[in-house]
Amino acid sequence: IEEIEAVCRFAKEEGIPLFVLGNGSNLLVADDGMDGIVLQIYKNYSGIEVNGNELTVKAGTLLSSTSKAALNEELTGFEFAGGIPGTFGGAVVMNAGAYGGEMVQVLKEVKVLTKDGEIKTLKAEELELGYRTSNVLKNEYVVLEGVIALEKGNKEEIKAKMDEYALARKTKQPLEYPSAGSTFKRGKDFITAKLIDEAGLKGYQIGGAQVSEKHAGFIINKGDATATDILNLIEYVKKEIHKKFDKNIELEVQVIGEK
Protein backbone atom coordinates (compact mmCIF):
# COMPACT_ATOMS: atom_id res chain seq x y z
CA ILE A 1 0.00 0.00 0.00
CA GLU A 2 2.87 2.39 0.80
CA GLU A 3 4.31 1.99 -2.72
CA ILE A 4 0.89 2.52 -4.34
CA GLU A 5 0.34 5.61 -2.18
CA ALA A 6 3.80 6.97 -3.08
CA VAL A 7 3.23 6.62 -6.84
CA CYS A 8 -0.22 8.24 -6.64
CA ARG A 9 1.12 11.10 -4.49
CA PHE A 10 4.04 11.71 -6.87
CA ALA A 11 1.77 11.74 -9.93
CA LYS A 12 -0.56 14.25 -8.24
CA GLU A 13 2.22 16.53 -7.01
CA GLU A 14 3.95 16.59 -10.40
CA GLY A 15 0.72 16.88 -12.39
CA ILE A 16 1.48 13.71 -14.36
CA PRO A 17 -1.43 11.65 -15.78
CA LEU A 18 -1.78 8.34 -13.94
CA PHE A 19 -3.38 5.18 -15.28
CA VAL A 20 -4.01 2.26 -12.94
CA LEU A 21 -3.67 -1.09 -14.72
CA GLY A 22 -4.68 -4.56 -13.61
CA ASN A 23 -4.04 -7.43 -16.03
CA GLY A 24 -4.75 -5.29 -19.10
CA SER A 25 -7.83 -7.17 -20.30
CA ASN A 26 -10.59 -5.06 -21.92
CA LEU A 27 -7.96 -2.44 -22.71
CA LEU A 28 -6.74 -1.05 -26.04
CA VAL A 29 -3.58 1.03 -25.89
CA ALA A 30 -3.00 3.49 -28.74
CA ASP A 31 -0.01 2.88 -31.04
CA ASP A 32 1.87 5.87 -29.62
CA GLY A 33 1.34 4.67 -26.07
CA MET A 34 0.40 6.89 -23.16
CA ASP A 35 2.16 9.98 -21.88
CA GLY A 36 2.14 9.50 -18.13
CA ILE A 37 2.61 6.91 -15.40
CA VAL A 38 1.14 3.43 -15.56
CA LEU A 39 0.73 1.88 -12.12
CA GLN A 40 0.22 -1.84 -12.46
CA ILE A 41 -1.46 -3.43 -9.46
CA TYR A 42 -0.95 -7.10 -10.15
CA LYS A 43 1.12 -9.96 -8.74
CA ASN A 44 3.03 -7.81 -6.22
CA TYR A 45 -0.25 -6.88 -4.57
CA SER A 46 -2.34 -10.03 -4.57
CA GLY A 47 -3.69 -12.43 -1.98
CA ILE A 48 -6.90 -13.87 -0.56
CA GLU A 49 -8.07 -14.19 3.05
CA VAL A 50 -10.98 -16.46 3.93
CA ASN A 51 -13.36 -15.59 6.74
CA GLY A 52 -16.33 -17.98 6.82
CA ASN A 53 -18.41 -17.29 3.70
CA GLU A 54 -16.45 -14.14 2.85
CA LEU A 55 -13.25 -13.67 0.87
CA THR A 56 -11.11 -10.54 1.28
CA VAL A 57 -9.27 -10.16 -2.03
CA LYS A 58 -6.39 -7.81 -2.84
CA ALA A 59 -6.80 -5.81 -6.04
CA GLY A 60 -4.00 -7.50 -7.99
CA THR A 61 -5.40 -11.02 -7.50
CA LEU A 62 -6.55 -12.74 -10.68
CA LEU A 63 -10.25 -13.57 -10.89
CA SER A 64 -9.32 -17.14 -11.88
CA SER A 65 -7.36 -17.51 -8.59
CA THR A 66 -10.28 -16.02 -6.65
CA SER A 67 -12.80 -18.44 -8.15
CA LYS A 68 -10.44 -21.37 -7.41
CA ALA A 69 -10.16 -20.22 -3.79
CA ALA A 70 -13.96 -20.07 -3.57
CA LEU A 71 -14.15 -23.60 -5.03
CA ASN A 72 -11.62 -24.90 -2.48
CA GLU A 73 -13.72 -23.39 0.33
CA GLU A 74 -16.91 -24.88 -1.20
CA LEU A 75 -18.36 -21.40 -1.68
CA THR A 76 -20.74 -20.72 -4.55
CA GLY A 77 -21.62 -17.46 -6.33
CA PHE A 78 -18.32 -16.63 -8.01
CA GLU A 79 -18.29 -19.31 -10.71
CA PHE A 80 -19.13 -16.72 -13.41
CA ALA A 81 -15.75 -15.00 -12.95
CA GLY A 82 -13.51 -18.05 -13.32
CA GLY A 83 -12.74 -17.46 -16.99
CA ILE A 84 -12.53 -13.65 -16.98
CA PRO A 85 -8.83 -12.86 -17.61
CA GLY A 86 -8.61 -9.84 -15.28
CA THR A 87 -7.74 -8.81 -11.76
CA PHE A 88 -10.12 -8.31 -8.87
CA GLY A 89 -9.52 -4.55 -8.84
CA GLY A 90 -10.27 -4.25 -12.54
CA ALA A 91 -13.42 -6.32 -12.08
CA VAL A 92 -14.66 -3.90 -9.41
CA VAL A 93 -13.96 -0.87 -11.63
CA MET A 94 -16.06 -2.20 -14.52
CA ASN A 95 -18.48 -4.39 -12.55
CA ALA A 96 -17.23 -7.33 -14.60
CA GLY A 97 -19.62 -10.14 -15.37
CA ALA A 98 -20.38 -13.18 -17.48
CA TYR A 99 -23.08 -15.84 -17.79
CA GLY A 100 -25.64 -13.89 -15.78
CA GLY A 101 -23.31 -13.11 -12.89
CA GLU A 102 -21.78 -9.73 -12.02
CA MET A 103 -19.54 -8.35 -9.29
CA VAL A 104 -22.44 -6.30 -7.91
CA GLN A 105 -24.18 -9.56 -6.91
CA VAL A 106 -21.38 -10.65 -4.56
CA LEU A 107 -19.41 -7.53 -3.64
CA LYS A 108 -19.89 -6.38 -0.04
CA GLU A 109 -17.34 -3.61 0.42
CA VAL A 110 -14.18 -2.16 -1.11
CA LYS A 111 -11.13 -0.44 0.32
CA VAL A 112 -9.95 2.42 -1.92
CA LEU A 113 -7.26 5.07 -2.00
CA THR A 114 -8.86 8.44 -2.78
CA LYS A 115 -7.29 11.15 -4.95
CA ASP A 116 -6.55 13.04 -1.71
CA GLY A 117 -4.47 10.11 -0.43
CA GLU A 118 -7.04 8.89 2.09
CA ILE A 119 -7.82 5.20 2.50
CA LYS A 120 -11.58 4.63 2.77
CA THR A 121 -13.78 1.56 3.03
CA LEU A 122 -16.92 1.91 0.91
CA LYS A 123 -20.00 -0.27 0.85
CA ALA A 124 -20.72 -1.79 -2.57
CA GLU A 125 -23.85 0.41 -2.83
CA GLU A 126 -21.64 3.52 -2.71
CA LEU A 127 -19.83 2.51 -5.92
CA GLU A 128 -22.82 3.06 -8.26
CA LEU A 129 -22.21 -0.34 -9.88
CA GLY A 130 -24.08 -0.71 -13.17
CA TYR A 131 -23.64 -2.55 -16.45
CA ARG A 132 -19.85 -2.50 -16.96
CA THR A 133 -19.51 0.66 -14.92
CA SER A 134 -18.90 2.13 -11.45
CA ASN A 135 -17.92 5.52 -10.04
CA VAL A 136 -14.33 4.40 -9.35
CA LEU A 137 -12.80 6.12 -12.39
CA LYS A 138 -15.00 9.22 -12.09
CA ASN A 139 -13.96 9.70 -8.45
CA GLU A 140 -10.32 8.79 -9.21
CA TYR A 141 -10.27 5.99 -6.64
CA VAL A 142 -7.61 3.29 -6.67
CA VAL A 143 -9.10 -0.05 -5.60
CA LEU A 144 -6.90 -1.74 -2.99
CA GLU A 145 -9.00 -4.72 -1.93
CA GLY A 146 -12.57 -5.89 -1.61
CA VAL A 147 -14.78 -8.33 0.26
CA ILE A 148 -17.10 -10.73 -1.58
CA ALA A 149 -19.86 -12.57 0.28
CA LEU A 150 -20.65 -16.04 -1.07
CA GLU A 151 -22.78 -18.99 0.04
CA LYS A 152 -21.91 -22.52 1.08
CA GLY A 153 -22.32 -24.92 -1.80
CA ASN A 154 -21.44 -28.35 -3.09
CA LYS A 155 -17.85 -28.60 -4.37
CA GLU A 156 -18.71 -30.94 -7.25
CA GLU A 157 -21.60 -28.74 -8.39
CA ILE A 158 -19.43 -25.60 -8.21
CA LYS A 159 -16.70 -27.33 -10.24
CA ALA A 160 -19.25 -28.56 -12.80
CA LYS A 161 -20.57 -25.04 -13.28
CA MET A 162 -17.05 -23.63 -13.69
CA ASP A 163 -16.23 -26.32 -16.25
CA GLU A 164 -19.46 -25.60 -18.13
CA TYR A 165 -18.65 -21.88 -18.35
CA ALA A 166 -15.05 -22.61 -19.40
CA LEU A 167 -16.27 -24.86 -22.22
CA ALA A 168 -18.82 -22.26 -23.38
CA ARG A 169 -16.11 -19.60 -23.43
CA LYS A 170 -13.76 -21.83 -25.41
CA THR A 171 -16.34 -22.90 -28.00
CA LYS A 172 -18.10 -19.54 -28.49
CA GLN A 173 -15.31 -16.97 -28.12
CA PRO A 174 -12.24 -16.48 -30.36
CA LEU A 175 -9.71 -17.29 -27.64
CA GLU A 176 -7.25 -18.52 -30.27
CA TYR A 177 -6.60 -14.92 -31.36
CA PRO A 178 -5.38 -11.90 -29.38
CA SER A 179 -8.15 -9.42 -28.52
CA ALA A 180 -9.12 -6.94 -25.83
CA GLY A 181 -12.09 -9.14 -24.95
CA SER A 182 -15.70 -8.29 -25.74
CA THR A 183 -15.40 -5.11 -27.81
CA PHE A 184 -18.92 -3.67 -27.51
CA LYS A 185 -21.44 -3.36 -24.70
CA ARG A 186 -24.79 -5.09 -24.92
CA GLY A 187 -27.56 -2.71 -26.01
CA LYS A 188 -30.52 -1.84 -23.78
CA ASP A 189 -32.98 -3.49 -26.15
CA PHE A 190 -30.72 -5.44 -28.49
CA ILE A 191 -27.80 -7.87 -28.56
CA THR A 192 -24.94 -6.02 -30.24
CA ALA A 193 -23.16 -9.11 -31.58
CA LYS A 194 -26.41 -10.27 -33.22
CA LEU A 195 -26.81 -6.92 -35.04
CA ILE A 196 -23.19 -7.02 -36.23
CA ASP A 197 -23.78 -10.54 -37.53
CA GLU A 198 -27.06 -9.54 -39.24
CA ALA A 199 -25.25 -6.60 -40.87
CA GLY A 200 -22.96 -9.13 -42.57
CA LEU A 201 -19.87 -7.80 -40.82
CA LYS A 202 -18.49 -11.09 -39.49
CA GLY A 203 -15.03 -11.51 -41.00
CA TYR A 204 -14.85 -7.86 -42.15
CA GLN A 205 -11.24 -6.73 -41.92
CA ILE A 206 -9.23 -3.49 -41.84
CA GLY A 207 -5.48 -4.07 -41.84
CA GLY A 208 -4.79 -6.85 -39.35
CA ALA A 209 -8.01 -6.22 -37.40
CA GLN A 210 -11.04 -8.43 -38.05
CA VAL A 211 -14.59 -8.82 -36.75
CA SER A 212 -14.38 -12.36 -35.41
CA GLU A 213 -16.08 -14.99 -37.56
CA LYS A 214 -16.71 -17.00 -34.38
CA HIS A 215 -18.33 -14.23 -32.30
CA ALA A 216 -19.24 -10.88 -33.89
CA GLY A 217 -18.89 -9.06 -30.56
CA PHE A 218 -15.11 -9.47 -30.68
CA ILE A 219 -12.60 -7.59 -32.83
CA ILE A 220 -9.49 -9.74 -33.06
CA ASN A 221 -5.88 -9.27 -34.10
CA LYS A 222 -5.17 -11.58 -37.04
CA GLY A 223 -1.45 -11.21 -36.44
CA ASP A 224 -0.23 -7.74 -37.38
CA ALA A 225 -3.05 -5.38 -36.34
CA THR A 226 -2.18 -1.94 -35.05
CA ALA A 227 -4.35 -0.15 -32.49
CA THR A 228 -5.29 2.21 -35.35
CA ASP A 229 -6.56 -0.74 -37.43
CA ILE A 230 -8.73 -1.83 -34.50
CA LEU A 231 -10.05 1.70 -33.84
CA ASN A 232 -10.83 2.20 -37.54
CA LEU A 233 -12.71 -1.10 -37.61
CA ILE A 234 -14.63 -0.15 -34.45
CA GLU A 235 -15.71 3.14 -36.10
CA TYR A 236 -16.72 1.33 -39.29
CA VAL A 237 -18.84 -1.19 -37.36
CA LYS A 238 -20.49 1.60 -35.33
CA LYS A 239 -21.40 3.53 -38.50
CA GLU A 240 -22.77 0.45 -40.29
CA ILE A 241 -24.96 -0.54 -37.32
CA HIS A 242 -26.30 2.99 -37.06
CA LYS A 243 -26.97 3.13 -40.80
CA LYS A 244 -28.69 -0.27 -40.99
CA PHE A 245 -30.52 -0.45 -37.67
CA ASP A 246 -30.52 3.13 -36.34
CA LYS A 247 -28.83 1.88 -33.16
CA ASN A 248 -25.86 3.41 -31.38
CA ILE A 249 -23.43 0.85 -30.01
CA GLU A 250 -21.00 1.61 -27.21
CA LEU A 251 -17.50 0.37 -26.53
CA GLU A 252 -16.90 -2.03 -23.66
CA VAL A 253 -13.15 -1.86 -24.28
CA GLN A 254 -11.36 1.07 -22.65
CA VAL A 255 -9.04 3.02 -24.97
CA ILE A 256 -6.03 4.83 -23.50
CA GLY A 257 -3.23 6.90 -24.99
CA GLU A 258 -2.80 9.20 -27.97
CA LYS A 259 -5.15 8.13 -30.74
Side-chain angles (χ1 to χ4, degrees), residues 26-29 94 180-185 234 250-255:
N26 269 110
L27 189 68
L28 178 62
V29 183
M94 68 174 295
S182 175
T183 309
F184 302 102
K185 289 182 180 177
I234 284 168
E250 290 180 44
L251 269 188
E252 182 169 324
V253 168
Q254 188 181 358
V255 180

Side-chain angles (χ1 to χ4, degrees), residues 28 183-184 192 196 199 201 204-207 209-211 216-219 226-244 247-255 259:
L28 178 62
T183 309
F184 302 102
T192 306
I196 297 170
L201 293 173
Y204 189 86
Q205 197 159 333
I206 292 179
Q210 185 193 59
V211 177
F218 285 70
I219 288 179
T226 61
T228 304
D229 289 342
I230 292 166
L231 288 166
N232 287 342
L233 184 51
I234 284 168
E235 285 312 307
Y236 180 81
V237 170
K238 279 180 164 182
K239 279 178 187 161
E240 287 296 297
I241 297 306
H242 188 264
K243 192 164 76 182
K244 288 182 173 151
K247 299 285 185 190
N248 292 318
I249 58 176
E250 290 180 44
L251 269 188
E252 182 169 324
V253 168
Q254 188 181 358
V255 180
K259 297 197 254 307

Side-chain angles (χ1 to χ4, degrees), residues 108-224:
K108 184 180 176 186
E109 61 185 40
V110 176
K111 190 184 281 184
V112 300
L113 176 66
T114 72
K115 60 182 174 184
D116 298 320
E118 185 188 350
I119 292 175
K120 285 171 83 168
T121 299
L122 303 171
K123 296 286 177 205
E125 305 85 74
E126 296 177 79
L127 295 173
E128 296 171 19
L129 295 161
Y131 175 58
R132 302 295 173 267
T133 185
S134 71
N135 64 16
V136 172
L137 294 180
K138 184 177 77 180
N139 292 334
E140 296 177 49
Y141 295 145
V142 177
V143 175
L144 298 173
E145 65 179 46
V147 178
I148 53 172
L150 306 174
E151 291 174 14
K152 270 290 173 197
N154 176 290
K155 195 168 188 178
E156 283 163 15
E157 286 174 12
I158 296 166
K159 177 77 166 66
K161 198 181 270 189
M162 286 171 70
D163 289 347
E164 180 194 327
Y165 291 159
L167 181 63
R169 197 173 275 274
K170 193 175 175 184
T171 52
K172 292 176 182 169
Q173 296 182 7
L175 303 184
E176 61 274 26
Y177 290 101
S179 78
S182 175
T183 309
F184 302 102
K185 289 182 180 177
R186 193 177 61 229
K188 281 196 173 71
D189 58 349
F190 59 90
I191 297 165
T192 306
K194 190 165 179 285
L195 291 192
I196 297 170
D197 190 3
E198 286 172 9
L201 293 173
K202 262 189 179 176
Y204 189 86
Q205 197 159 333
I206 292 179
Q210 185 193 59
V211 177
S212 167
E213 292 172 294
K214 197 173 189 181
H215 188 312
F218 285 70
I219 288 179
I220 58 172
N221 178 356
K222 288 286 280 187
D224 59 353

Side-chain angles (χ1 to χ4, degrees), residues 80 91 95-96 101-108 124-125 128-130:
F80 72 89
N95 185 25
E102 285 184 322
M103 292 297 289
V104 69
Q105 295 165 6
V106 294
L107 195 63
K108 184 180 176 186
E125 305 85 74
E128 296 171 19
L129 295 161

